[in-house]
């Protein structure tokens, strides 16, 4: 891999007295899909939060497109090209679908291009156009996940951080979400994916990292992790 798009080196972070990340090092290359797998509480969401600026790292280095971003404000990081779709979807329930999408572009001022991107989102997720005036909180779980994804894309990211996009969704909707992730990637967007469905995530990704108690325990090409007996026993239900 040439110069990675995103690079974490020995990143530490936590919540008050709790240290959640004990020194995370990982890379995401241009146009790559990379997945992080691990048990509940291993630090997957915290890693994404540290990258997107929601959680301030206490040590280590985060570099994006050659620039240090560790400790930068979240809106600054969005502007640089990283978008975070958090766990639990977190759409704004009292705003309409359309307003949620427009908020995804809050760091941009290129009105004509924002309109073009809204069009693209509506083409990709026709239900979001159909339900444009509906309050986001009244959408179904799958629709809210699509809205969360589409909103994250409205900032035109180079890197998308996806936290459990299939959580709690019916199998057919899960397939749709995975197909969308594949399509976004084919358009050149790099993706760092956290997924409870480790098998599907490893089938989609090029590389994977296994997190245990705030540390990377091992990593490698996704195909190798899929065939690794430690991964199979701990995370793939083998
Ligand atoms: P899950 O798969 O359950 O979402 P995870 O791997 O994403 O887990 P994190 O949510 O990053 O794990 O949590 C890592 C550690 O940080 C856990 O011990 C968790 O209890 C703690 N933690 C996470 N969020 C907070 C918070 N807001 N305040 C205090 N501790 C937190």
């Amino acid at each position: 891999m040439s110069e990675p798009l995103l690079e974490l080196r020995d990143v530490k972070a936590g919540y008050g007295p709790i240290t959640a990340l004990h020194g995370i090092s990982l890379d995401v290359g241009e146009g790559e899909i990379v997945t992080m797998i691990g048990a509940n509480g291993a630090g997957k969401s915290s890693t994404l939060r540290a990258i997107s600026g929601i959680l301030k790292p206490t040590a280590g280095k985060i570099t994006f497109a050659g620039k240090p971003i560790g400790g930068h404000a979240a809106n600054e990081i969005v502007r640089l090209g990283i978008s975070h779709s958090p766990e639990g979807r977190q759409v704004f329930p009292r705003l309409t679908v359309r307003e949620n999408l427009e908020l995804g572009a809050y760091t941009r001022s290129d009105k004509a291009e924002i309109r073009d991107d809204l069009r693209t989102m509506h083409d990709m997720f026709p239900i979001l156009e159909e339900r444009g005036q509906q309050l986001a909180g009244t959408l179904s779980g799958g629709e809210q996940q699509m809205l969360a994804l589409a909103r994250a894309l409205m900032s035109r990211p180079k890197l998308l951080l996806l936290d459990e996009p299939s959580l709690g969704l019916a199998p057919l909707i899960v397939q749709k979400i995975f197909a969308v992730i594949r399509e976004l990637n084919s358009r050149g967007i790099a993706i760092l994916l956290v997924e409870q469905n480790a098998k599907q995530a490893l089938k989609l990704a090029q590389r994977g990292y296994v997190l245990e108690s705030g540390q990377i325990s091992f990593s490698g090409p996704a195909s190798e992790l899929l065939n690794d007996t430690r991964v199979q026993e701990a995370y793939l239900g083998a």
Side-chain angles (χ1 to χ4, degrees):
M1 194 169 60
S2 55
E3 176 97 333
L5 181 62
L6 175 77
E7 200 175 41
L8 272 67
R9 288 295 172 268
D10 211 17
V11 171
K12 300 188 172 118
Y15 306 87
I18 299 163
T19 302
L21 306 180
H22 293 272
I24 300 285
S25 297
L26 62 79
D27 295 332
V28 181
E30 293 267 2
E32 226 189 354
I33 303 183
V34 173
T35 188
M36 271 191 286
I37 60 177
N40 292 130
K44 305 178 297 296
S45 299
S46 300
T47 302
L48 297 188
R49 287 186 203 123
I51 298 166
S52 65
I54 301 168
L55 184 62
K56 298 283 171 238
T58 53
K61 207 171 161 195
I62 306 180
T63 310
F64 180 68
K67 290 196 190 103
I69 59 162
H72 284 210
N75 62 345
E76 174 64 15
I77 290 172
V78 172
R79 211 167 272 127
L80 289 171
I82 299 181
S83 192
H84 184 182
S85 177
E87 187 176 358
R89 298 157 208 147
Q90 299 186 12
V91 297
F92 297 104
R94 293 178 179 280
L95 298 183
T96 66
V97 169
R98 172 73 180 241
E99 288 164 341
N100 267 272
L101 286 174
E102 286 167 350
L103 269 178
Y106 79 103
T107 55
R108 299 171 54 188
S109 51
D110 46 341
K111 286 212 169 79
E113 291 183 26
I114 292 172
R115 214 173 312 119
D116 287 349
D117 286 355
L118 254 180
R119 184 74 265 143
T120 306
M121 291 310 127
H122 287 159
D123 290 344
M124 199 183 283
F125 307 101
I127 189 77
L128 298 183
E129 182 167 27
E130 200 179 295
R131 304 296 172 87
Q133 297 312 313
Q134 188 171 323
L135 295 183
T138 63
L139 294 175
S140 73
E143 290 162 356
Q144 286 191 28
Q145 185 56 61
M146 289 178 207
L147 177 56
L149 254 176
R151 189 184 59 190
L153 292 169
M154 286 298 292
S155 64
R156 287 211 174 168
K158 297 189 193 83
L159 171 67
L160 187 58
L161 309 175
L162 284 179
D163 200 347
E164 305 269 17
S166 79
L167 193 68
L169 302 181
L172 263 181
I173 309 289
V174 172
Q175 292 317 314
K176 160 91 180 162
I177 297 282
F178 274 83
V180 167
I181 296 172
R182 211 172 283 120
E183 183 183 337
L184 296 173
N185 182 244
S186 73
R187 293 178 184 204
I189 300 176
I191 292 164
L192 181 54
L193 171 68
V194 168
E195 214 355 282
Q196 33 130 29
N197 191 333
K199 193 179 263 177
Q200 288 238 34
L202 286 170
K203 283 184 179 163
L204 188 68
Q206 281 104 49
R207 292 186 306 111
Y209 291 86
V210 179
L211 260 79
E212 281 172 23
S213 309
Q215 284 176 309
I216 308 276
S217 51
F218 45 104
S219 62
S223 54
E224 277 177 25
L225 294 182
L226 268 173
N227 291 315
D228 187 297
T229 46
R230 291 167 299 179
V231 175
Q232 287 176 348
E233 281 165 16
Y235 306 108
L236 306 181

